[in-house]
Amino acid sequence: VKKVKPSVVKVSTQVLVEGRQSQSMFGDDIFDRFFNMRPRSPQQVEGIGSGFFISADGYIITNHHVVKDAITITVETIDKKKYKAKKIGEDPKTDLALLKIDGGSHPFLEMGDAEKTEVGEWVLAIGNPLYQDLTVTSGIISAKGRSMEGLRQSGLQYQDFIQTDAAINQGNSGGPLI
């Protein structure tokens, strides 16, 4: 964990959400309740997740759902440095996204070889749940070669996913499994 955690980052996003309504403490729309009106102004909502450097020059992997529809993406390193990130690519079907930040020589993780992993092998999931500093959860590789039913129905044959029972808490999405 000491070796890996400097390469793990916090990913914060701002997303513009259409049609959010103000809610009263009673759970109903304030304007509807008193004026029979429904304001539909867009609002910025913050999202959070995790990611990790895959190269010293600032490339970061995270989950697609962490940065989907983001109008701004900020990456924060373990030493509290903040960077504006650019989305380089994304694949919604595999829930992966590639980000890039400028500057520096960043600590990074080398990708493991999934072929060498075995069912029952211990793994760690590292991330930033709920705006907290890094946390670590542990588990095992529960299965290999899993497919995703939704992808199969769309005609795609992704069938080499690794299944784990390590807890992936809210905000940990995008962090590494080591």
Side-chain angles (χ1 to χ4, degrees):
V1 172
K2 277 184 197 177
K3 181 180 175 183
V4 170
K5 83 178 182 179
S7 63
V8 180
V9 298
K10 189 180 299 184
V11 179
S12 303
T13 62
Q14 292 291 320
V15 178
L16 198 58
V17 176
E18 297 290 332
R20 279 186 75 110
Q21 300 172 358
S22 301
Q23 296 288 316
S24 75
M25 64 182 174
F26 304 107
D28 56 355
D29 185 275
I30 293 169
F31 287 96
D32 262 358
R33 188 167 183 209
F34 293 107
F35 304 110
N36 199 24
M37 298 170 54
R38 287 192 164 272
R40 298 286 181 189
S41 59
Q43 293 183 350
Q44 281 193 8
V45 177
E46 188 172 326
I48 188 129
S50 302
F52 59 98
F53 287 107
I54 59 167
S55 68
D57 59 348
Y59 284 94
I60 297 165
I61 290 208
T62 188
N63 284 124
H64 165 72
H65 74 267
V66 170
V67 296
K68 179 184 175 197
D69 300 326
I71 53 176
T72 62
I73 303 170
T74 304
V75 169
E76 184 178 336
T77 61
I78 190 78
D79 57 358
K80 306 293 184 200
K81 292 181 183 172
K82 292 185 179 183
Y83 301 86
K84 291 291 179 195
K86 179 180 176 185
K87 192 184 323 176
I88 301 297
E90 58 191 326
D91 183 10
K93 292 178 180 85
T94 57
D95 196 25
L96 289 175
L98 181 65
L99 308 177
K100 173 78 168 82
I101 65 169
D102 292 328
S105 178
H106 304 284
F108 66 95
L109 296 177
E110 292 185 26
M111 294 292 186
D113 185 347
E115 295 297 319
K116 293 181 181 177
T117 61
E118 296 183 27
V119 173
E121 190 173 344
W122 282 95
V123 291
L124 302 174
I126 302 178
N128 298 284
L130 303 172
Y131 301 96
Q132 302 297 311
D133 288 333
L134 290 177
T135 63
V136 179
T137 59
S138 66
I140 61 168
I141 293 177
S142 305
K144 289 177 58 176
R146 292 288 193 209
S147 64
M148 295 177 70
E149 187 61 36
L151 294 177
R152 193 171 334 136
Q153 289 174 355
S154 68
L156 299 172
Q157 295 297 316
Y158 294 107
Q159 295 189 21
D160 203 16
F161 288 102
I162 296 172
Q163 179 181 329
T164 182
D165 67 348
I168 309 297
N169 300 312
Q170 185 177 1
N172 275 14
S173 290
L177 183 69
I178 59 170

